[in-house]
């Protein structure tokens, strides 16, 4: 509501207040039982009308429409109505003892169907027989509809059942969690590790802004949403630098309301006319937006039969090491990887970022793009003058070839991993996953490496509990059990979320020293005398 | 907790044994089942396996030293254990010497408690290794062992908690053949002008010691007989025409020895300090020549075995003797032995008793010789056998009676098939 009010969106919040949440009354649940009063706090025009009177509702809606058409922004209508039955099933609420039969009878007397009939008869527009006809017609229509769906249940005489042939095939259970990626057919791919053309040096964060600039220029459906993305010369880190100046109405600085603007993005994605790019300033804010992020955006496609794509990019930056404290320093990969629907990319270099962002912005799926504050300032080589290449889904990069152990990592941990490998002298094969989600993981590269090394070390920076490596380790041990010569080892941060003290923050996260310890563990596991 | 390794009582009632060769050195980590030392017993050289896992802290006995059974020979620290006061441990151990098996049982729970330092390492394998029976090998190793048909029981694991890991398989052939490689002259020969010194192996020392002891302490005497074996050779030919496996003369000899011992049970006897021990069944040791020297695995209950079964068991024991896979108990017991050099064509020889056995029959080659039959000289197949007997329990008349029984059986071999 606040977002719609702030942005004067033409939207009406139509609240059917039927007085009950299962058995709990509105009066019990709030100190202000007039739900319409809430809108006033956001400066939204608001009406409370008799929901049992269709004409009153119609008139209120006409006024709300006028507000929207005049550019007055949102409006709010609370209609007072009643739930004749219990929350579910064919029995009245009074049967469960939380209200009286008298209360139900008094609302029954206000039945809007009867009221419309009575008023129309009074106006001479219809007679009793006509009303009966209409009712009969409606009931027949219902019976026809039901007959399409139900049949007598041969096992339970007198009962009906859903026609067996109408049930879906159980094999459909996982269909449509994500799209099939066919939208990427024919795109121009480029693999930075094997690129030999002309390069230029850029800061990681400049590549972030540059590729978005390029895409917004080429695709006017792209809308950027997030806190402060329109100010401060590109948001808090410069990741959206220059965009608001160039694409005025398409870079939207949001109120602090992740659930609201993520939800707005989700709606836009389902609608399909725009391609939302949502930014969470810190990954931890996904928790306040969890309903929209996980319950809606991630599930929507599958929930509605797998046909309706949800093309949305969610950018966020891991900030471990920045000292922002416990509620700002998580790595979201583990949570997203264990939730359905999301694809995840975690670029470790500017060149990868460009290709992966182009792919993310073309995919018809919600894609989480994880960035890291430590990477923003790093200089890297990117193909000169090329912001249009794609890095395919499910393509990891081998950053170092080795034979002793497969080290799997992503994002900012590649650098410490390579340093630790250098220090220990262990001949590690280092895989930069790039794609982290269940559907996009590069099992070919991982499998080939494990068959060679027979040992795995998964390295990530963040806290152990919500870490990414847990599910990956589980998957690996089942896929490659007969190729493992020792337990899969993992490097993660501690149990606690890194706190604001520099010392405790460092102690809580994994760095080069922790990777060295992990490699030494592997070395012990290799045995030999 | 560190474990004191004690000289095992490899043989029943043995009071001391010699530590021949250490197969580990201080600082090595060992796993359950890994050979610690070659220990010389009266019967053979045995590899003494570790009953615990851990690190060798100290070896207390030098190679070649003879040590009383139960005396400490080494100290093994539990996995992850450091800072062990060995001297104090040994001092405390003198009064209450636990048997080695008890010590290993004590050790396992402690080793679990001490591996909690790394949560990743304190996993199930440690707990399960308590039993000392399960073999811990990585999934990869188990697959490779399956594919390559390797016996992991003979592989020492060098991974955490003694887990057998990929690297351990890289040397598995060497691991398995190492003791045998030492036995062959080529690997350890030091060439010098005019001669070469082949260093003694444990087995060679054992043979030398035991036979010297036998020949110098057991009063041997010898009884020789010629056996006409035309009937035996013919019977063997017939048997081999229908037998799925080739039956040798020696198989018949073993059967004849057993039958003779049944017929003359007074000869089925050994000397002990307190008594003459007479046996109910016939266990016969069969000398097997291996690259490293002589081994005498024992065939049990021969009186009830058919010739074909004897043949089968002898072949199997000989194969394992030659590949170094005989168990100690298979080398123990028996009242009688057979040594056959017939395949080398010898006319006759005598053998040294293998204590505590009281008899050994030296069997030579069956050859055609002139023999007197009904007053005229004819050609017959003759095999000369020499019985060496322990005069402490077998007198001359008894030896002669037994040998006569043997000759009658071998010359009327159909009885051997009944």
């Amino acid at each position: 509501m606040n977002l719609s009010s702030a942005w004067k969106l033409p939207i009406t919040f139509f609240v059917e207040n039927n007085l009950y949440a299962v058995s709990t009354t509105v009066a019990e649940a709030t100190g202000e039982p007039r739900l319409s009063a809430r809108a006033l706090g956001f400066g939204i025009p608001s009406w409370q009308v008799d929901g049992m009177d269709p004409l009153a509702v119609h008139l209120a809606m006409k006024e709300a429409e006028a507000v929207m058409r005049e550019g007055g922004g949102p409006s709010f209508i609370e209609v007072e109505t009643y739930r004749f039955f219990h929350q579910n099933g064919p029995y009245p609420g009074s049967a469960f003892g939380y209200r009286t039969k008298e209360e139900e009878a008094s609302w029954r007397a206000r039945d809007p169907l009867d009221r419309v009939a009575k008023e129309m008869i009074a106006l001479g527009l219809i007679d009793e027989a006509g009303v009966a006809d209409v009712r009969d017609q409606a009931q027949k229509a219902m019976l026809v509809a039901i007959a399409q769906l139900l049949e007598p249940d041969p096992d339970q005489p007198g009962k009906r059942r859903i026609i067996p042939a109408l049930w879906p095939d159980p094999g459909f259970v996982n269909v449509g969690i994500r799209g099939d990626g066919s939208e990427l057919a024919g795109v121009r791919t480029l693999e930075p590790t094997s690129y030999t053309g002309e390069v230029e040096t850029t800061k990681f964060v400049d590549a972030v802004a540059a590729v978005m600039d390029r895409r917004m220029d080429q695709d006017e459906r792209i809308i950027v949403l997030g806190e402060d993305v329109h100010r401060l010369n590109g948001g808090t880190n410069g990741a959206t630098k220059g965009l608001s100046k160039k694409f005025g109405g398409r870079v939207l600085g949001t109120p602090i309301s992740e659930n609201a603007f993520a939800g707005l993005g989700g709606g836009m994605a389902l609608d399909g006319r725009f391609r939302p790019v949502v930014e969470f300033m810190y990954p931890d804010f996904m928790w306040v937006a969890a309903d929209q992020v996980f319950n809606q955006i991630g599930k929507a496609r599958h929930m509605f039969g797998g046909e309706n794509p949800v093309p949305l990019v969610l950018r966020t930056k891991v900030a471990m090491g920045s000292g922002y404290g416990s509620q700002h320093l998580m790595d979201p990969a583990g949570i997203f990887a264990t939730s359905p629907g999301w694809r995840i990319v975690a670029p470790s270099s500017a060149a990868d970022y460009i290709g992966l962002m182009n792919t993310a912005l073309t995919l018809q799926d919600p894609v989480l793009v994880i960035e890291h504050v430590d990477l923003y300032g790093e200089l890297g080589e990117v193909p000169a003058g090329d912001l249009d290449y794609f890095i395919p889904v499910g393509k990891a990069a081998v950053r170092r070839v080795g034979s002793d152990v497969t080290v799997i990592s992503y994002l900012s941990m590649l650098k410490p991993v390579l340093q630790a490998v250098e220090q220990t002298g262990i001949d590690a094969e280092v895989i930069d996953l790039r794609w982290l989600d269940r559907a996009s993981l590069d099992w070919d590269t991982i499998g080939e490496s494990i068959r060679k090394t027979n040992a795995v070390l998964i390295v990530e920076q963040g806290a152990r509990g919500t870490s990414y490596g847990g599910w990956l380790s589980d998957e690996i041990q089942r896929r490659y059990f007969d190729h493992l010569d020792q337990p899969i080892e993992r490097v993660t941060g501690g149990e606690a979320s890194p706190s604001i003290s520099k010392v405790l923050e460092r102690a809580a996260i994994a760095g080069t020293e922790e990777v060295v310890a992990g490699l030494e563990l592997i070395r012990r596991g290799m045995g030999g005398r | 907790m560190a474990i004191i390794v004690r000289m095992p009582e490899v043989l029943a009632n043995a009071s001391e044994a010699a530590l021949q060769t250490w197969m580990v050195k201080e600082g090595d980590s060992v796993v359950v089942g890994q050979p610690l030392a070659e220990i010389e017993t009266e019967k053979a050289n045995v590899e003494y396996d570790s009953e615990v896992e851990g690190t060798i802290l100290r070896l207390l006995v030098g190679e070649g030293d003879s040590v009383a059974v139960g005396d400490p020979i080494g100290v093994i620290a539990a996995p992850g254990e450091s800072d062990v006061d060995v001297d104090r441990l040994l001092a405390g151990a003198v009064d209450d010497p636990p048997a080695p098996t008890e010590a290993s049982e004590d050790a396992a729970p402690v080793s679990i408690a001490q591996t909690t330092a790394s949560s990743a390492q304190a996993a199930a394998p440690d707990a399960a290794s308590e039993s000392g029976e399960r073999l811990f090998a990585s999934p990869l190793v188990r697959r490779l062992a399956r594919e390559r048909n390797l016996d992991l029981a003979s592989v020492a694991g060098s991974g955490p908690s003694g887990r057998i890991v990929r690297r351990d398989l890289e040397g598995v052939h060497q691991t398995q053949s190492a003791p045998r490689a030492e036995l062959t002259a080529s690997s350890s020969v030091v060439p010098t002008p005019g001669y070469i010194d082949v260093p003694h192996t444990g087995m060679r020392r054992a043979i030398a010691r035991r036979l010297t002891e036998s020949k110098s302490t057991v009063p041997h005497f010898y009884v020789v007989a010629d056996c006409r074996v035309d009937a035996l050779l013919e019977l063997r030919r017939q048997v081999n025409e229908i037998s799925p496996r080739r039956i040798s003369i020696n198989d018949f000899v073993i059967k004849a020895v057993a039958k003779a011992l049944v017929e003359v049970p007074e000869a089925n006897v050994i000397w002990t300090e307190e008594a003459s021990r007479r046996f109910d069944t016939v266990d016969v040791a069969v000398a097997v020549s291996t690259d490293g020297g002589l081994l005498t695995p024992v065939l049990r209950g021969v009186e009830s075995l058919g010739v074909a079964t004897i043949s089968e068991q002898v072949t199997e024991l000989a194969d394992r003797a030659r590949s170094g896979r005989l168990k100690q108990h298979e080398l123990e017991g028996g009242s009688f032995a057979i040594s056959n050099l017939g395949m080398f064509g010898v006319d006759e020889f005598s053998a040294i008793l293998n204590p505590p056995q009281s008899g050994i029959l030296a069997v030579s080659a069956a050859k055609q010789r002139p023999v007197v039959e009904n007053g005229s000289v004819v050609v017959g197949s003759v095999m000369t056998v020499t019985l060496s007997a322990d005069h402490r329990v077998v007198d001359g008349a008894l030896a002669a009676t037994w040998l006569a029984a043997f000759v009658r059986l071998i010359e009327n071999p159909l009885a051997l098939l009944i």
Side-chain angles (χ1 to χ4, degrees):
Chain A
M1 278 205 298
N2 181 59
L3 198 61
S4 67
S5 171
W7 292 353
K8 294 276 183 257
L9 301 181
I11 179 171
T12 288
F13 298 94
F14 187 88
V15 177
E16 290 181 46
N17 181 1
N18 68 15
L19 305 182
Y20 288 92
V22 190
S23 69
T24 304
T25 66
V26 171
E28 283 177 276
T30 172
E32 170 51 280
R34 296 173 304 168
L35 302 182
S36 50
R38 280 159 177 69
L40 300 178
F42 297 108
I44 299 174
S46 187
W47 290 263
Q48 185 183 39
V49 297
D50 180 1
M52 307 303 265
D53 182 349
L55 186 60
V57 174
H58 177 70
L59 291 173
M61 280 302 295
K62 293 293 280 185
E63 293 203 32
E65 184 192 1
V67 171
M68 290 190 284
R69 290 198 184 283
E70 284 162 13
S75 50
F76 191 107
I77 296 173
E78 176 193 5
V79 298
E80 294 177 296
T81 178
Y82 198 68
R83 198 190 71 206
F84 290 144
F85 295 97
H86 182 53
Q87 173 87 4
N88 48 16
Y91 302 102
S94 56
F96 299 89
Y98 56 82
R99 65 193 189 194
T100 63
K101 286 181 180 172
E102 290 72 28
E103 180 188 306
E104 286 168 354
S106 74
W107 281 92
R108 277 281 184 193
R110 296 167 63 187
D111 188 322
L113 295 179
D114 291 343
R115 177 159 187 170
V116 170
K118 208 165 81 186
E119 303 246 357
M120 287 180 73
I121 290 168
L123 290 168
L125 296 172
I126 198 167
D127 58 12
E128 295 278 356
V131 170
D133 266 358
V134 170
R135 194 174 283 268
D136 186 49
Q137 190 188 1
Q139 284 174 343
K140 277 191 174 134
M142 296 292 273
L143 288 174
V144 169
I146 287 167
Q148 305 284 316
L149 304 173
L150 301 176
E151 65 180 20
D153 187 339
D155 296 330
Q156 293 178 286
K159 289 206 164 188
R160 286 174 297 182
R161 66 174 188 186
I162 293 171
I163 297 168
L166 296 180
W167 289 108
D169 181 340
F172 194 70
V173 61
N174 286 329
V175 171
I177 294 175
R178 299 169 192 80
D180 60 5
S182 57
E183 57 271 28
L184 290 165
V187 300
R188 178 173 65 87
T189 62
L190 182 152
E191 176 51 64
T193 52
S194 55
Y195 175 77
T196 53
E198 200 184 328
V199 294
E200 60 194 12
T201 300
T202 181
K203 258 166 73 175
F204 190 105
V205 73
D206 291 340
V208 173
V211 68
M212 191 56 69
D213 180 288
R214 173 70 176 163
R215 290 280 72 78
M216 289 182 80
D217 191 53
Q218 301 284 303
D219 183 351
E220 59 184 22
R221 297 174 303 163
I222 295 174
I223 304 287
V224 173
L225 297 157
E227 292 153 9
D228 299 303
V229 294
H230 61 315
R231 298 258 164 78
L232 306 174
N233 197 18
T236 47
N237 294 90
T240 52
K241 193 190 285 181
L243 300 183
S244 66
K245 212 170 284 177
K246 192 164 168 187
F247 308 103
R250 293 164 59 198
V251 180
L252 307 176
T254 62
I256 297 177
S257 56
E258 280 79 7
N259 203 35
F261 65 82
L264 176 59
M268 288 162 70
L270 275 166
D271 176 80
R273 282 174 290 178
F274 296 97
R275 291 199 75 100
V277 175
V278 178
E279 177 184 314
F280 284 174
M281 193 181 284
Y282 293 94
D284 308 64
F285 302 164
M286 74 181 188
W287 297 123
V288 297
D291 183 47
Q292 290 301 329
V293 170
F294 301 111
N295 224 8
Q296 310 297 340
I297 295 170
K299 294 179 184 173
R301 181 177 193 135
H302 179 259
M303 190 158 55
F304 296 122
E307 298 292 333
N308 199 332
V310 189
L312 175 146
V313 167
L314 174 59
R315 291 181 42 242
T316 192
K317 59 161 191 269
V318 175
M320 275 179 269
S322 69
Y324 268 74
S326 307
Q327 308 100 321
H328 300 76
L329 300 181
M330 79 178 291
D331 172 354
I335 299 297
F336 276 80
T338 50
S339 305
W342 285 88
R343 293 187 190 266
I344 308 166
V345 293
S348 66
S349 72
D352 273 12
Y353 189 94
I354 292 166
L356 291 169
M357 180 53 90
N358 282 329
T359 304
L361 280 172
T362 305
L363 272 171
Q364 292 284 75
D365 294 316
V367 182
L368 173 70
V369 178
I370 309 177
E371 301 163 14
H372 198 294
V373 288
D374 285 352
L375 295 176
Y376 279 156
E378 283 194 2
L379 292 172
E381 289 184 341
V382 298
D386 188 354
L387 292 167
D388 298 326
Y389 60 89
F390 289 69
I391 294 177
V393 174
K395 205 81 196 114
V398 176
R399 300 297 182 203
R400 184 187 188 282
V401 175
S403 59
D404 283 347
V405 54
T406 299
V407 181
I408 299 175
S409 195
Y410 56 93
L411 201 64
S412 63
M413 290 308 280
L414 269 304
K415 203 165 147 185
V417 163
L418 291 169
Q419 282 169 353
V421 168
E422 186 94 348
Q423 283 179 28
T424 56
I426 289 174
D427 186 21
E429 179 140 307
V430 179
I431 295 178
D432 180 354
L433 285 179
R434 287 181 176 157
W435 292 90
L436 306 189
D437 61 274
R438 199 176 279 277
S440 317
L441 213 61
D442 187 349
W443 285 114
D444 292 344
T445 299
I446 294 170
E448 192 185 336
S449 183
I450 292 174
R451 285 191 195 92
K452 178 171 61 171
T453 64
N454 311 122
V456 180
L457 179 69
I458 303 172
V459 175
E460 52 189 312
Q461 185 179 27
R464 187 90 172 175
T466 55
S467 71
Y468 173 75
W471 84 269
L472 182 62
S473 154
D474 165 65
E475 195 73 27
I476 288 173
Q477 64 89 7
R478 275 181 290 102
R479 285 179 186 239
Y480 304 108
F481 185 76
D482 284 333
H483 296 274
L484 292 174
D485 197 32
Q486 58 172 296
I488 298 164
E489 297 292 357
R490 293 170 57 200
V491 173
T492 67
E495 182 184 357
S497 179
S499 45
I500 201 159
S501 146
K502 269 287 172 208
V503 172
L504 295 181
E505 181 188 44
R506 174 62 190 89
I509 65 181
T512 306
E513 293 81 356
E514 285 75 12
V515 184
V516 166
L519 287 169
E520 291 300 342
L521 204 57
I522 291 286
R523 202 203 300 270
R524 284 223 303 278
M526 287 162 67
R529 284 180 289 272
Chain B
M1 185 186 156
I3 301 305
I4 298 172
V5 181
R6 295 168 189 283
M7 179 57 80
E9 189 184 44
V10 179
L11 286 170
N13 301 322
S15 59
E16 64 172 22
L19 198 139
Q20 199 54 52
T21 315
W22 280 110
M23 300 174 74
V24 292
K25 54 184 191 303
E26 291 182 353
D28 281 358
S29 52
V30 295
V31 298
V32 174
Q34 179 177 343
L36 295 176
E38 287 180 334
I39 289 171
E40 201 175 277
T41 69
E42 288 183 45
K43 288 279 181 188
N45 213 35
V46 298
E47 288 187 357
Y48 180 47
D49 297 344
S50 181
E51 294 170 354
V52 298
E53 86 178 36
T55 306
I56 302 292
L57 271 187
R58 192 170 306 176
L59 303 180
L60 303 166
V61 177
E63 295 189 344
D65 291 356
S66 207
V67 176
V69 166
D71 273 5
I73 58 172
V75 178
I76 299 180
E81 186 180 29
S82 60
D83 199 24
V84 178
D85 188 336
V86 176
D87 295 329
R88 206 172 137 193
L89 184 73
L90 290 172
V94 171
D95 294 330
D96 181 26
T101 50
E102 288 166 0
S104 73
E105 278 162 13
D106 287 343
V110 176
S111 74
I112 293 165
Q114 300 212 342
T115 51
T116 51
S118 157
S119 60
Q121 295 301 303
D126 288 321
S129 67
E130 264 179 275
S131 68
E133 291 164 5
R134 229 198 95 185
L135 201 95
F136 291 101
S138 74
L140 173 74
V141 164
R142 286 201 287 276
R143 178 171 65 82
L144 293 176
R146 222 164 36 235
E147 288 172 4
R148 301 181 193 169
N149 202 21
L150 298 176
D151 179 13
L152 290 179
S154 60
V155 179
S158 66
S161 309
R163 186 191 309 132
I164 302 172
V165 294
R166 183 183 62 176
R167 284 187 172 179
D168 299 325
L169 290 194
E170 285 164 8
V172 74
H173 298 297
Q174 292 89 310
T175 304
Q176 283 183 331
S177 59
R180 306 235 320 119
E182 284 175 20
L183 302 179
T184 62
S186 61
S187 66
S188 45
V189 165
V190 182
T192 51
Y195 63 90
I196 53 169
D197 279 342
V198 180
H200 296 316
T201 62
M203 184 185 283
R204 179 49 53 196
R205 286 182 192 277
I207 290 169
R209 189 173 54 78
R210 290 173 41 71
L211 293 183
T212 303
E213 184 185 310
S214 173
K215 189 74 175 174
S216 57
T217 62
V218 178
H220 288 59
F221 73 100
Y222 309 94
V223 187
V224 183
D226 286 342
C227 310
R228 278 291 299 273
V229 290
D230 299 284
L232 178 66
L233 293 175
E234 173 58 19
L235 177 67
R236 187 181 70 131
R237 190 187 62 74
Q238 289 173 9
V239 166
N240 278 337
E241 271 177 10
I242 54 163
S243 169
R245 60 177 302 117
R246 196 184 153 277
I247 310 294
S248 69
I249 291 291
N250 202 49
D251 298 330
F252 284 101
V253 168
I254 293 168
K255 185 64 194 176
V257 163
K259 244 179 146 56
L261 284 169
V262 171
E263 285 185 15
V264 187
E266 299 83 353
N268 191 8
V269 69
I270 62 169
W271 170 267
T272 73
E273 288 305 321
E274 290 79 29
S276 296
R277 182 174 298 164
R278 196 173 288 172
F279 293 97
D280 299 333
T281 62
V282 181
D283 296 348
V284 178
V286 181
V288 176
S289 170
T290 73
D291 291 345
L294 193 69
L295 283 173
T296 51
V298 178
L299 218 58
R300 314 275 168 189
V302 186
E303 79 280 5
S304 60
L305 300 180
V307 175
T309 312
I310 290 171
S311 168
E312 203 172 302
Q313 291 193 4
V314 167
T315 306
E316 197 261 343
L317 284 171
D319 284 349
R320 286 199 288 118
R322 295 195 177 99
S323 59
R325 287 183 291 117
L326 281 181
K327 305 265 179 3
Q328 173 63 26
H329 71 81
E330 293 173 314
L331 295 168
E332 291 174 10
S335 61
F336 200 95
I338 295 169
S339 180
N340 189 335
L341 293 179
M343 64 288 269
F344 299 108
V346 300
D347 289 334
E348 66 168 283
F349 72 106
S350 59
I352 299 175
L353 283 164
N354 183 27
Q357 294 151 7
S358 62
I360 182 165
L361 192 68
V363 182
S364 55
K367 287 186 176 174
Q368 292 203 328
R369 294 186 204 163
V371 292
V372 178
E373 205 174 80
N374 299 326
S376 52
V377 174
V378 298
V379 173
S381 293
V382 177
M383 178 177 85
T384 303
V385 297
T386 305
L387 171 67
S388 310
D390 179 353
H391 215 312
R392 293 174 300 180
V393 286
V394 179
D395 293 336
L398 178 57
T401 306
W402 182 86
L403 190 61
F406 172 82
V407 171
R408 181 171 41 75
L409 285 162
I410 210 76
E411 292 188 342
N412 299 280
L414 270 179
L416 301 176
L417 298 183
I418 298 167

